[in-house]
Amino acid sequence: MKLPSLLIAFICCVNIAFAQRNDILKESTKYEWPKDEAVKKKLEHWQDKKFGMIIHWGLYAVPGIIESWSICSEDWIDRDSTIKYDDYKKWYWGLNEKFNPTKFDPEQWAKAGKSAGMKYLVFTTKHHDGFAMFDTKQSDFSIAKGPFSTNAKKDVAKYVFDAFRKENFMIGAYFSKPDWHSQYYWWDKYATADRNNNYDIRKNQWRWNMFKSYTQNQIGELMNNYGSIDILWLDGGWVRPRASVNKEVLSWGAPIPEWSQDIDMPKIAADARKAQPGLIVVDRTVHGQFENYQTPEQKIPENQLDYPWESCMTLGGAWGFVPNDQYKSAGEVVHKLVEIVAKGGSLLLGIGPKADGTLPDHLITRLDEIGKWTSKNGVAIYGTRITKNYHDGQNWFTQSKDGKTIYGISLISNTPNKEISWQGSIPKKGSLITVLSTNQKVKWTLKDGKVHFDFPKTEEKTALTFSFTPETN
């Protein structure tokens, strides 16, 4: 079935408008520390990394449209009204016969991420549309079963994980709990009204049990067959026990059915950690023992948080590849990274490879530009922890784990900086401030409770980073 090019172009246009509306359930407002010491140790290691890459790549890359959501029948999704919904879904599912990424180059992706200064990976092994980017034995709907099946790298996830491990990344597997292609989730007997499973689980317990087994088996494949995995990043927070749904988690009328969509997270986590001891489990937006860090989407919390979290944000306007996407400037990304780290979080930046398996040239260029800053100033980012006086004006602050060094990062705006000043975090009397990019030592003064020093000569156009010993030490 061939859809009109006008429709495809229209869907491409709405990608950016709706990219931020995928986070339907609000993030948790509380945090529960894990009890497993191995998980705590892994979390501590992850909190050193600060900057990661999330890769959305699947069927949606073929026409270059929004990931999965165009087949969901909800008010915020718009499609050409002349195309029947069922026909659209058939066309979308049929993209599996066209997805043949013969230039698949995970080494290029890993090198680009390393160039940017990224330290951990989250790769989309399966999005809501159910198309697996790994060689699952639970379904024929996967990259390994279509035209790419004859390629030596058909088990895509394996080669992605291997390429990033070689660049010393922590490895995370994104996995969608809902699966809109599965007859155990979206049953053809009924219409697909929204993102939820479309049958009453209370009346069809066998079918839901089959879905639970299917989901648990696929996650088991990922945890047992793909080497060392550090993070299991679970999306689709509406798939949760009914008891965990309350007014706090609802957002702009998110549809929640009357029945519980319980997939037995205790079993999933226990089985996964047998294969991957210390595994970080991120059951997004579902408060409790399986949300080992929180994931605000496309936004930064207002205030500093003293528990593990990351902001997941797109580099462009969409999570996956869309033609002519407009990427954030390197300066904007660096400024967001600085704010996030000073508030205690990590930045997970989203990119999307093209359908042929390569990254767009201008995306690689943008990552290189970001890396020019992180390569010179990373000591103020990586391995740091929060400090009480973390923000004043254009200045953000982090500190070394031992608390003996404070790092200041002054954001450079369009207005030329003549002086850097802030209140709080006073340097030790008689000490000097060091500019990290040049190792230049500068004198400072204290006046009316504020630290002052002249803006040093520098070619830095994004953010100036400096360090000092606080007076408390």
Side-chain angles (χ1 to χ4, degrees):
M1 177 182 301
K2 184 176 181 181
L3 289 187
S5 57
L6 179 61
L7 171 60
I8 296 174
F10 175 75
I11 294 171
C12 290
C13 288
V14 301
N15 275 338
I16 294 176
F18 293 117
Q20 297 190 30
R21 298 189 72 175
N22 297 350
D23 190 18
I24 303 307
L25 299 176
K26 293 180 180 178
E27 64 270 13
S28 305
T29 56
K30 299 178 182 178
Y31 179 76
E32 183 176 324
W33 284 94
K35 297 178 176 64
D36 187 327
E37 291 300 323
V39 177
K40 290 181 182 178
K41 184 177 180 180
K42 181 86 74 172
L43 266 176
E44 179 76 11
H45 182 56
W46 171 79
Q47 285 186 290
D48 288 341
K49 301 304 179 183
K50 304 301 185 187
F51 191 19
M53 173 187 285
I54 182 168
I55 300 174
H56 279 73
W57 193 47
L59 292 181
Y60 38 88
V62 178
I65 61 174
I66 189 172
E67 73 293 336
S68 296
W69 287 99
S70 67
I71 57 172
C72 184
S73 185
E74 293 183 6
D75 291 344
W76 67 279
I77 298 292
D78 209 349
R79 289 178 295 269
D80 188 330
S81 61
T82 65
I83 305 296
K84 293 180 180 179
Y85 179 42
D86 284 345
D87 287 343
Y88 182 84
K89 285 193 293 184
K90 289 176 183 177
W91 167 80
Y92 185 94
W93 302 135
L95 293 172
N96 71 320
E97 297 299 329
K98 298 179 179 179
F99 192 17
N100 189 20
T102 54
K103 296 181 180 180
F104 173 49
D105 190 356
E107 289 78 15
Q108 179 204 42
W109 307 357
K111 288 176 182 176
K114 183 177 182 179
S115 169
M118 294 165 164
K119 305 291 185 182
Y120 69 102
L121 165 77
V122 176
F123 175 66
T124 303
T125 63
K126 187 183 77 168
H127 206 261
H128 311 327
D129 60 16
F131 187 75
M133 297 301 289
F134 63 104
D135 192 7
T136 178
K137 302 300 185 289
Q138 307 303 311
S139 167
D140 287 336
F141 196 55
S142 81
I143 187 68
K145 302 298 194 299
F148 199 57
S149 62
T150 58
N151 193 290
K153 295 182 178 180
K154 67 177 183 178
D155 198 352
V156 160
K158 175 186 184 306
Y159 291 93
V160 172
F161 293 152
D162 285 349
F164 279 83
R165 282 194 200 100
K166 288 177 183 176
E167 299 295 353
N168 203 31
F169 277 60
M170 289 185 77
I171 301 300
Y174 170 116
F175 184 88
S176 169
K177 293 184 293 183
D179 185 319
W180 295 337
H181 188 265
S182 171
Q183 286 294 304
Y184 302 132
Y185 196 80
W186 271 7
W187 188 8
D188 278 350
K189 180 178 180 180
Y190 301 111
T192 53
D194 53 41
R195 76 196 60 209
N196 294 288
N197 74 301
N198 65 339
Y199 60 90
D200 190 331
I201 289 172
R202 298 165 299 186
K203 298 176 182 178
N204 297 275
Q205 193 63 49
W206 172 87
R207 185 166 293 274
W208 186 250
N209 286 338
M210 291 297 290
F211 180 69
K212 286 168 63 175
S213 296
Y214 167 76
T215 302
Q216 292 164 7
N217 290 341
Q218 280 198 325
I219 293 175
E221 289 174 329
L222 290 169
M223 295 298 103
N224 286 278
N225 302 337
Y226 291 86
S228 177
I229 305 293
D230 300 295
I231 304 165
L232 176 60
W233 209 88
L234 299 172
D235 203 4
W238 59 93
V239 176
R240 62 169 74 195
R242 178 72 186 176
S244 68
V245 177
N246 55 55
K247 292 180 180 179
E248 268 194 345
V249 304
L250 298 179
S251 174
W252 63 276
I256 300 293
E258 296 177 8
W259 49 82
S260 177
Q261 295 189 60
D262 187 351
I263 57 172
D264 198 349
M265 276 302 303
K267 174 176 172 53
I268 287 173
D271 289 350
R273 285 175 175 151
K274 284 180 184 177
Q276 305 288 342
L279 178 76
I280 297 169
V281 177
V282 184
D283 192 10
R284 298 190 65 212
T285 75
V286 184
H287 167 67
Q289 59 182 313
F290 307 118
E291 190 182 29
N292 295 153
Y293 66 72
Q294 294 180 356
T295 56
E297 183 171 336
Q298 299 285 32
K299 59 189 173 184
I300 303 173
E302 276 189 41
N303 301 307
Q304 189 182 74
L305 302 173
D306 61 357
Y307 51 77
W309 63 275
E310 75 182 2
S311 282
C312 48
M313 294 183 168
T314 51
L315 177 58
W319 289 106
F321 167 77
V322 297
N324 304 313
D325 201 357
Q326 299 299 307
Y327 299 125
K328 295 176 177 67
S329 69
E332 183 179 356
V333 172
V334 168
H335 285 194
K336 289 182 183 298
L337 174 64
V338 168
E339 179 181 352
I340 287 167
V341 172
K343 289 181 174 179
S346 299
L347 171 60
L348 185 62
L349 195 64
I351 63 117
K354 296 184 293 185
D356 67 1
T358 63
L359 297 180
D361 291 340
H362 56 305
L363 189 154
I364 294 175
T365 299
R366 189 54 44 84
L367 294 179
D368 284 342
E369 291 170 352
I370 295 167
K372 289 177 181 177
W373 188 87
T374 58
S375 63
K376 292 185 296 183
N377 302 281
V379 68
I381 298 295
Y382 310 119
T384 61
R385 292 297 183 266
I386 58 174
T387 183
K388 182 179 178 181
N389 299 304
Y390 68 96
H391 180 218
D392 187 38
Q394 290 297 306
N395 304 304
W396 297 89
F397 298 91
T398 63
Q399 67 175 333
S400 58
K401 285 185 182 180
D402 60 13
K404 293 181 179 180
T405 304
I406 297 291
Y407 300 105
I409 308 171
S410 183
L411 306 186
I412 298 175
S413 63
N414 293 328
T415 304
N417 299 53
K418 295 181 180 180
E419 181 188 67
I420 293 178
S421 65
W422 69 87
Q423 197 161 15
S425 293
I426 310 299
K428 186 176 182 180
K429 188 175 181 179
S431 67
L432 297 176
I433 290 174
T434 302
V435 178
L436 296 182
S437 60
T438 62
N439 204 34
Q440 179 183 357
K441 308 294 183 181
V442 296
K443 293 182 178 181
W444 56 276
T445 60
L446 185 64
K447 184 178 180 181
D448 298 328
K450 294 189 74 172
V451 176
H452 300 261
F453 67 90
D454 291 337
F455 196 87
K457 291 182 180 180
T458 177
E459 295 181 358
E460 182 58 67
K461 298 179 180 179
T462 302
L464 184 77
T465 307
F466 50 91
S467 65
F468 57 89
T469 303
E471 65 176 354
T472 53
N473 290 317

